[in-house]
Every structure is written in structure tokens, then in C-alpha cells.
Amino acid sequence: MQRDQLERSRQAADTALKHVSSKRLQTAIAELARYGGRDDGGVARETLTDMDLQARRYLIDRARAMGCAVEVDDCANLFFRRAGKTDRPPVMTGSHVDTQPVGGKLDGAYGVVAGLEVLQALQDAGVQTERPVEVVVWTNEEGSRFGPGCMGSSAYVDPARLAGYRAARDGAQLSFGEAVDRALQAIPDVPRRPMQQPLAGFVELHIEQGPVLETAGVPLGVVTGIQSVRWYRVKVTGVAAHAGTTPMNIRTDAMAACIQMAHRLYAEAARQQASGLRLTLGRWVVSPNSINTIPGEVEFTIDMRCVDENVLAEFDAVMRGIVQDGAGRTRVVLEAIFERKPTHFPTAMTALVEEACARACQLATKPAPLALTSGAFHDAMYLADHCPTAMIFVPSKKGISHNALEETDHGDLFMGAQALAYAVTRMAGA
Ligand code: GLV
Ligand code: MN
Ligand code: MN
């Protein structure tokens, strides 16, 4: 980039940053949180449920009111586009608006709402960027209703994945394909566009969902990468029988076998604590789930993660041994549902995000941004396969997320959106 061009894009980035409105951002966060909002302050808006479809409609209307063109693709990913001076591949930001069965107002939603705030700031500042800027709403990031997670973003970068995803079923046996078709039918006014379109870059703004930034007293984080993750489903089949009449020594109790496995898995994870290994057995389905019947079938999920891929691979081998030996007389099926090696964002992108965060911190006279690895996975993990990608984090109070109590200081949310405005404008050029 020429010196004067770089200077122009820095000035435009600074102007956009200064037009971000904290009040408008807070209003938009609260408005979106009404869709699936709960009395305890949380949000229940799992992917492609009626609540999610209503939230999508609200966002489409809001983006159109701002003058954006709206498009959707075959995985129901939504795109809100502010035109550039040229039609070159756009700069993209955004995140997801689906939540865990009970989540907070900010996980994903913040990145989408802040993306729209950036478009509004550009508008108010009278900045016309060289490249278009798009805000995306990725479908099913959470993976709680239909597994795996990040379906929308991973299908965008490799559309061949979509056929397999369409067959995934939720707890009520509805397929992801049927849910996507329903979502598309609900917005006949939104034109369809192909997936895998070229992008100049992707920047995702997200809450940290962990304690690192808050503990350090730093308002903004430059994310250098994302740790490895593997998901499994374990299905244990025993024999359902009468709880009162069946002697203990002749039972084939699926739950007893699972409890033994769980104890051994947690003990092994505790041994690996120093290497940062994380283990969660998050979803249990017990059949027939009756007080006086021995469980005949139990299914549970394993979520395991680590920054060190070698530690995760070793734990994986131990986990397989434990699951197979713990079976007793039961039958065990282990199914892999998701695997992702560590993601490393390119240094040119982390440097750009660092510049953006440093500017927001300097204006607020706050400590300089901190570099950190993400413990959670994000859509940016897949976008990194497709285009130059980066992420910005803001702190999470008490490190809590995937919980109704998820919260971030308003000033930090404001600074995150300012840094996003700067980074996006720098990338889009002016
Ligand atoms: C995303 O929600 C994750 O589980 O990391
Ligand atoms: Mn998220
Ligand atoms: Mn989440």
C-alpha cells in the first residue's frame, strides 16, 4: 500500500471509530435480546427455532432500514452489505445469533450488532470505503441443537459439507435440512446467493467467555488463535429391567457403566490439568429415564479441548481405552462428531487488530490490548481457511458465558465496537 493511501485509510478508520455510538449499541443489544429473552436475563434462542427466525427477521428489517442489501445462502447464512466504491471482494464481520439452550445476550449477538453499528458509524461519518463491507449472521454456531457447531461458516468455506449437515437431527428428530428450508421459506423476499464467495478478510468481535482479560484488567484482546477441539457421542446399551426385583449381580446397567467411565475420564483430565486440557460430559440422554427402571440405554457427549494438540491426541487415545473397558456387559458405540486442529490467525491480521485495539485503548486511556488464545471455538476458525481472518475479544465478567448471567461492562463493549470499526475500515480502504 502507498504511504498516502495508508494514511488515508488510517484517517478514515479513526473517523469511523469516533462515530461509534455506545447508546445505539446498547439499545440494539437489548432489542435483539428480546427474541428468546428470559426473566433471569438470559436468552433461549437455539438455531433455526421460531425465536431465531423472528430475530433474523428483525435484523433483516433493521439492515434494510440502514440502506443495506440483504442476501441469504443455502445454509441460511444472512449477509447485510454496505456498498463500496468498487465491487471488489468485501471485508466481512459478524458472528452468530443462535444461543445455547440457555445463553446470554452477548455470545455471538454482540458481534452481529456491533457489525451493524460499524455500518451505521461509517454512514454517519460519511466514509465511503473502497471495498464493500458485509455483516454476516452465521447459522448454527453453537452446535447444541444440531451437531456439530459452526455449520454455517464451515459450509460457506466448503459447500460440500452442507449435504452431510442437512441429515443431522435435533432431539425431536427434525433434520437440519428441514429446519434450513423452513428458515429460507420464511424470508421469500431475500435473494439467494452462492456460498464460498471470495472475501478480502474477516474480523469477528466476540466476548472472551473466559477470565483472562478481566483478571489482567485489560479491556481488549487480540486473539492469536483458537485451541483444538474434539467432540464425541458415546452410546451405551444395557438391559432395562425392574429396579426392585433384579439382583445387582445380574444387571446390565447402562448408567452404572457410564458413571464408571465418567469417573475415570475426569480423573485422567485432572492429571492433565497443568497442560490446560478441558473435558466436559455435557449432554446425557437416559432411557427410559424412569425412577424404577434400570437404565437400558444411556448416551452422553464428550467435549475435549486443549491448546496443545499433542496433549489432546494423547488424551484421545486414553479416552478410547476407558470407554471400551468401562463397558462391562453393556455394548458401547463411540461416534466422532467434530474435530478441529488449532487455528493460528495470520500475523498481518493480528497486527492490524492490535493497531485497532491500541487506538481504542489510547483514546479511552486504558491499558494496552493483550494477546490471547481463544478457549471457545468461533466461526472465525473456519473463515481462517478461506481468507485473512482475525478476532477481537472484550472481557466477560467473572469469565462466565453459556449462562444467563453472561455480562460485559458497557464501556468495554463500546471499545470493542470502536476497535472493530477501525479494523474493518482499514481493511476496506478509503
Ligand atoms: C462455542 O460455543 C464453543 O463451544 O466453543
Ligand atoms: Mn459465540
Ligand atoms: Mn457459544
Side-chain angles (χ1 to χ4, degrees):
M1 203 186 271
Q2 304 276 320
R3 274 251 310 268
D4 55 340
Q5 218 181 341
L6 177 64
E7 202 34 52
R8 224 182 18 253
S9 102
R10 283 201 167 122
Q11 272 173 16
D14 221 42
T15 309
L17 175 154
K18 287 178 180 155
H19 281 78
V20 169
S21 155
S22 181
K23 186 157 175 276
R24 204 164 45 197
L25 179 68
Q26 287 306 325
T27 305
I29 290 170
E31 274 180 21
L32 183 54
R34 286 198 201 124
Y35 299 91
R38 293 160 44 98
D39 291 345
D40 60 4
V43 178
R45 191 172 59 223
E46 277 195 286
T47 193
L48 304 179
T49 53
D50 287 345
M51 271 308 159
D52 187 28
L53 301 197
Q54 285 173 38
R56 285 159 170 264
R57 171 48 72 189
Y58 155 79
L59 289 167
I60 291 167
D61 292 346
R62 187 154 174 246
R64 282 197 176 136
M66 289 168 57
C68 293
V70 180
E71 290 179 325
V72 66
D73 69 17
D74 288 352
C75 197
N77 296 313
L78 281 173
F79 305 89
F80 308 136
R81 181 184 181 96
R82 180 174 191 263
K85 286 185 215 162
T86 70
D87 248 349
R88 288 160 70 199
V91 170
M92 188 181 271
T93 184
S95 189
H96 61 98
V97 298
D98 62 313
T99 71
Q100 288 287 308
V102 178
K105 297 180 178 71
L106 299 172
D107 176 2
Y110 170 51
V112 170
V113 162
L116 289 174
E117 176 55 35
V118 168
L119 298 190
Q120 190 62 57
L122 285 167
Q123 196 70 12
D124 293 354
V127 172
Q128 211 194 345
T129 51
E130 288 291 330
R131 292 175 184 272
V133 178
E134 291 193 347
V135 176
V136 63
V137 178
W138 298 117
T139 299
N140 187 27
E141 188 274 348
E142 293 291 355
S144 53
R145 181 179 176 200
F146 301 102
C150 296
M151 279 188 181
S153 49
S154 58
Y156 180 88
V157 308
D158 180 3
R161 290 180 170 129
L162 183 56
Y165 292 164
R166 285 183 63 89
R169 291 190 181 269
D170 69 3
Q173 293 309 307
L174 185 89
S175 74
F176 180 71
E178 289 165 298
V180 165
D181 293 344
R182 211 174 132 253
L184 293 172
Q185 280 153 17
I187 48 170
D189 52 316
V190 178
R192 201 74 70 86
R193 79 183 219 179
M195 304 174 106
Q196 214 178 21
Q197 292 195 358
L199 300 174
F202 179 70
V203 185
E204 184 170 359
L205 172 64
H206 207 283
I207 53 168
E208 182 205 326
Q209 308 182 273
V212 177
L213 292 175
E214 187 182 60
T215 307
V218 169
L220 293 177
V222 176
V223 185
T224 53
I226 299 178
Q227 69 176 343
S228 307
V229 52
R230 298 186 193 195
W231 282 5
Y232 291 94
R233 187 180 294 121
V234 183
K235 187 167 168 178
V236 179
T237 308
V239 178
H242 197 291
T245 61
T246 318
M248 295 304 278
N249 62 340
I250 66 160
R251 295 177 176 210
T252 310
D253 183 334
M255 181 54 94
C258 289
I259 287 172
Q260 248 186 57
M261 291 175 205
H263 273 307
R264 290 186 60 197
L265 288 169
Y266 280 122
E268 189 59 32
R271 260 194 292 282
Q272 291 290 353
Q273 201 176 337
S275 36
L277 184 96
R278 282 160 196 174
L279 171 74
T280 306
L281 312 182
R283 180 163 56 215
W284 291 77
V285 184
V286 181
S287 173
N289 210 17
S290 160
I291 189 166
N292 50 355
T293 299
I294 296 162
E297 195 173 279
V298 178
E299 210 180 273
F300 67 95
T301 53
I302 301 178
D303 173 316
M304 50 203 230
R305 311 194 196 198
C306 195
V307 279
D308 185 335
E309 175 62 15
N310 295 326
V311 171
L312 194 64
E314 272 168 39
F315 185 79
D316 193 292
V318 174
M319 177 278 290
R320 284 168 190 272
I322 290 174
V323 165
Q324 291 311 334
D325 311 336
R329 281 193 295 263
T330 61
R331 208 156 33 81
V332 180
V333 179
L334 176 72
E335 185 194 349
I337 40 184
F338 183 31
E339 174 178 358
R340 198 69 190 161
K341 300 252 184 314
T343 305
H344 302 286
F345 296 130
T347 49
M349 288 298 287
T350 50
L352 185 116
V353 156
E354 159 90 33
E355 178 185 323
C357 293
R359 183 68 182 126
C361 290
Q362 182 197 28
L363 280 175
T365 56
K366 294 274 184 165
L370 191 76
L372 76 171
T373 305
S374 175
F377 60 73
H378 298 284
D379 294 303
M381 174 172 82
Y382 284 103
L383 268 292
D385 290 346
H386 183 71
C387 65
T389 296
M391 288 193 80
I392 301 169
F393 274 174
V394 294
S396 291
K397 285 195 182 165
K398 299 196 177 112
I400 293 178
S401 186
H402 286 190
N403 185 313
L405 299 178
E406 175 185 279
E407 214 188 325
T408 297
D409 179 79
H410 289 193
D412 295 344
L413 291 169
F414 175 50
M415 287 175 68
Q418 286 186 314
L420 183 69
Y422 187 102
V424 163
T425 312
R426 273 276 278 112
M427 288 163 69

